[in-house]
Every structure is written in structure tokens, then in C-alpha cells.
Amino acid sequence: VQLQASGGGSVQAGGSLRLSCVASGNIFSINDMGWYRQAPGKERELLASISSSGRANYKDSVKDRFTISRDNAKNTVHLQMNSLKPEDTAVYYCIVNSYDPQGHGMDYWGKGTLVTVSS
């Protein structure tokens, strides 16, 4: 399974970006999908996740500004980010939990896309 993330870039504070991540390859079924980020000198943190049924969970610091969504038919997960702040500057990673016909699950990571928010 390969993940390709896109949508990162530079934006001024208060602006918006929409990240997308497409899963491809030998996919039997996808369970949860999500987004992490890692800022310089900090640990990677989970921002949002969404189940196959569409149930979403968010980190408190982003839940009023970020929205996660998915398109199951296209094996795609999105992260709409509004009201961006300089502290949102980080590399953003998508993650997909996929399982095979035997029920064995595995997490797959995208390579990351850089988001830079200037003040």
C-alpha cells in the first residue's frame, strides 16, 4: 500500500489549506484513516482520525478549525484546515490502517507534506 499526500504549502495566518492523501496498491480493506503532524523539535502528534463509517475524532487544539473527511470509493482522506496559525507549521503525515483478507492489520504512512504558516 502506498500513500501519496498533497496540498501542503505556504499560507499566511488566518488562511486555509486542504490536504489530500490517496492510498493505492494492494488494498483489501481500509479501516481508520488519519492525519498526524510533526513540528521542528517536537514529537509527531495525532490531529484527526476517521473511521470507515465516517466517525471523526480530533485533537482539541484543532477540532474547531480542521475537518477530516474521506472518500471510500477513492481510498482518499482529506484534511481541511482553516484559520491557520503559525504554530500549525509542521510536516503533515497521513496514516491508513488497512487489513488483508485474513484480518491482519497494518498501518501505512505517507511521506509527509510541509505546511508553513507565516504571521
Side-chain angles (χ1 to χ4, degrees):
V1 176
Q2 297 81 42
L3 303 183
Q4 181 64 51
S6 61
S10 297
V11 64
Q12 289 190 329
S16 298
L17 285 174
R18 186 175 189 243
L19 306 183
S20 298
C21 179
V22 181
S24 61
N26 189 18
I27 299 172
F28 174 70
S29 188
I30 294 177
N31 191 13
D32 291 350
M33 307 178 85
W35 290 92
Y36 280 73
R37 71 183 177 191
Q38 187 167 21
K42 295 187 177 181
E43 294 185 353
R44 192 173 295 190
E45 60 179 356
L46 175 63
L47 297 176
S49 63
I50 186 167
S51 70
S52 56
S53 63
R55 181 176 179 179
N57 289 287
Y58 297 92
K59 181 180 175 64
D60 284 346
S61 63
V62 305
K63 65 181 179 180
D64 294 329
R65 301 184 294 123
F66 293 5
T67 302
I68 190 170
S69 61
R70 64 188 284 172
D71 184 335
N72 291 332
K74 297 182 179 179
N75 294 329
T76 300
V77 61
H78 305 285
L79 186 68
Q80 177 67 42
M81 305 186 294
N82 299 326
S83 302
L84 283 162
K85 305 174 182 180
E87 51 263 43
D88 293 318
T89 295
V91 178
Y92 285 67
Y93 299 90
C94 57
I95 182 171
V96 167
N97 178 258
S98 177
Y99 56 93
D100 62 20
Q102 289 74 41
H104 302 134
M106 180 172 283
D107 288 337
Y108 297 90
W109 290 88
K111 289 186 177 180
T113 183
L114 177 62
V115 171
T116 303
V117 184
S118 58
S119 57

